[in-house]
Amino acid sequence: MKRTTLRFNFFAGSMAAVLCASTAQSLAPIQSHGLPGAKANHARTATTFVQYDDPYSEFRNARYSNAGLLNERDELKLGAQLHREVTRKYNLTDVGLDRVERIGQRCAKASQRPILLYKFHVIQSREINGFSLPGGHIYITTAMIKLANDSELASVLAHEVGHVAARHSLKTLKQSQEYDDIAKSLGELTGVAGSVARDLGVALGQIVGGGLLTIHTRDEEREADFLGVRTLPKAGFDPQGMVTMFQKLQRIEEQHSDLLGSLFSDHPDAEERISNTRYEIARMKRR
Ligand SMILES: [Zn+2]
């Protein structure tokens, strides 16, 4: 019987980074005036908007690609191999898959990485959870599907698509000791049989079990929230769904924290994520 605690969490973040609390107001325009001694023809006043309270300022101009990471072909191979390990470890089911696929593909097409072929999967589990792997594999548990209405489910899926678009797992892999071996094996991999695939399977099985590629830093979670909430209206979903999803998870954390998996209890940052999400929704409405 497969009874493994899911080592992934939509709601998890590392404690490594300390964030300032942000408020949903004050997009104060700061005027920067030309210096008094500047030449007359340069004395034009420049108006810049400096948003000290913008929780997502460092992500606004981000451009994403595989440059410096595994190339996309190897990313797809890695994703396929990792997915095999996931199917060994967890019970995948068709329950709710149609709904997840329908909502997930809309989010994927509206995302920062729309060209990739995303594959959505449902894991039979009483834990409320979702995670993603390189190559566009996105997993969500039956408990999460039951808990969420469509816009809430979209917020979870758009968040996971955000991790894939920002190549968070590939960046983590790049920093790991296993990177060189895995990259070499993927390059040599031609089929599923043979010793290269076998050795790679063992290494990737350990990675899936240990959660190396599915546990993200707090900054990465913030970035995936940002990409997710911005995707929702483009995909035709109410971005408020992300707020109510966090609120639901927050309530469950208070009452049945065991259902949120082992990681969540260490990371009580729901308030901050709700406030950041509200900030972005207000900002999107202004534009
Ligand atoms: Zn996440």
Side-chain angles (χ1 to χ4, degrees):
M1 186 179 165
K2 296 175 183 176
R3 280 288 294 137
T4 316
T5 299
L6 296 177
R7 294 293 312 254
F8 328 97
N9 208 309
F10 168 65
F11 225 8
S14 101
M15 298 298 278
V18 179
L19 294 174
C20 301
S22 61
T23 59
Q25 308 92 23
S26 64
L27 279 166
I30 308 292
Q31 291 206 318
S32 101
H33 297 277
L35 292 170
K39 286 180 191 165
N41 61 347
H42 289 153
R44 197 163 50 86
T45 300
T47 304
T48 24
F49 285 84
V50 179
Q51 293 148 14
Y52 290 108
D53 294 321
D54 180 357
Y56 300 126
S57 55
E58 72 261 51
F59 309 131
R60 296 208 180 270
N61 298 315
R63 295 286 173 270
Y64 302 107
S65 79
N66 286 50
L69 304 166
L70 279 185
N71 65 43
E72 192 166 295
R73 201 180 39 139
D74 285 351
E75 181 189 353
L76 293 175
K77 282 195 213 169
L78 174 66
Q81 297 294 316
L82 286 166
H83 177 65
R84 264 160 36 106
E85 299 306 317
V86 170
T87 59
R88 283 188 186 147
K89 208 166 168 54
Y90 302 108
N91 288 311
L92 269 69
T93 174
D94 286 343
V95 175
L97 187 59
D98 285 353
R99 182 174 165 234
V100 171
E101 176 75 16
R102 179 171 48 81
I103 294 173
Q105 293 297 353
R106 276 168 63 182
C107 294
K109 289 205 172 53
S111 76
Q112 290 258 14
R113 195 180 182 187
I115 304 302
L116 193 69
L117 189 63
Y118 290 80
K119 298 200 176 70
F120 294 88
H121 313 279
V122 177
I123 292 176
Q124 181 78 49
S125 173
R126 65 190 286 276
E127 280 187 17
I128 295 156
N129 228 328
F131 65 94
S132 52
L133 287 172
H137 290 273
I138 291 174
Y139 305 81
I140 190 154
T141 62
T142 44
M144 177 69 99
I145 294 172
K146 264 185 229 154
L147 177 71
N149 67 29
D150 280 5
S151 60
E152 290 163 351
L153 188 56
S155 78
V156 178
L157 296 171
H159 168 101
E160 294 305 333
V161 168
H163 280 305
V164 175
R167 277 79 164 175
H168 286 155
S169 298
L170 291 186
K171 287 172 187 164
T172 307
L173 182 68
K174 181 80 191 244
Q175 291 162 1
S176 77
Q177 289 182 334
E178 296 90 342
Y179 178 74
D180 288 343
D181 287 343
I182 289 174
K184 186 163 173 284
S185 300
L186 288 169
E188 291 169 3
L189 196 64
T190 49
V192 285
S195 60
V196 172
R198 232 180 357 260
D199 291 350
L200 186 61
V202 171
L204 298 183
Q206 286 167 357
I207 282 176
V208 168
L212 175 72
L213 299 182
T214 46
I215 296 172
H216 301 292
T217 67
R218 201 160 168 169
D219 281 345
E220 287 172 343
E221 291 303 336
R222 204 154 40 88
E223 188 169 26
D225 285 349
F226 168 69
L227 294 172
V229 73
R230 292 189 65 83
T231 294
L232 290 173
K234 290 181 201 151
F237 294 103
D238 182 358
Q240 196 62 31
M242 187 171 276
V243 172
T244 55
M245 189 72 230
F246 284 138
Q247 287 169 334
K248 279 185 180 176
L249 293 173
Q250 197 176 26
R251 274 197 296 279
I252 289 164
E253 203 250 339
E254 285 158 14
Q255 292 157 11
H256 306 284
S257 60
D258 57 311
L259 295 180
L260 288 177
S262 55
L263 291 169
F264 178 67
S265 54
D266 296 333
H267 309 288
D269 59 352
E271 281 300 338
E272 182 183 293
R273 294 176 80 177
I274 289 168
S275 125
N276 291 352
T277 305
R278 285 188 168 138
Y279 174 95
E280 194 60 27
I281 291 170
R283 186 178 159 124
M284 286 191 289
K285 275 188 187 150
R286 276 198 295 272
R287 301 197 167 210

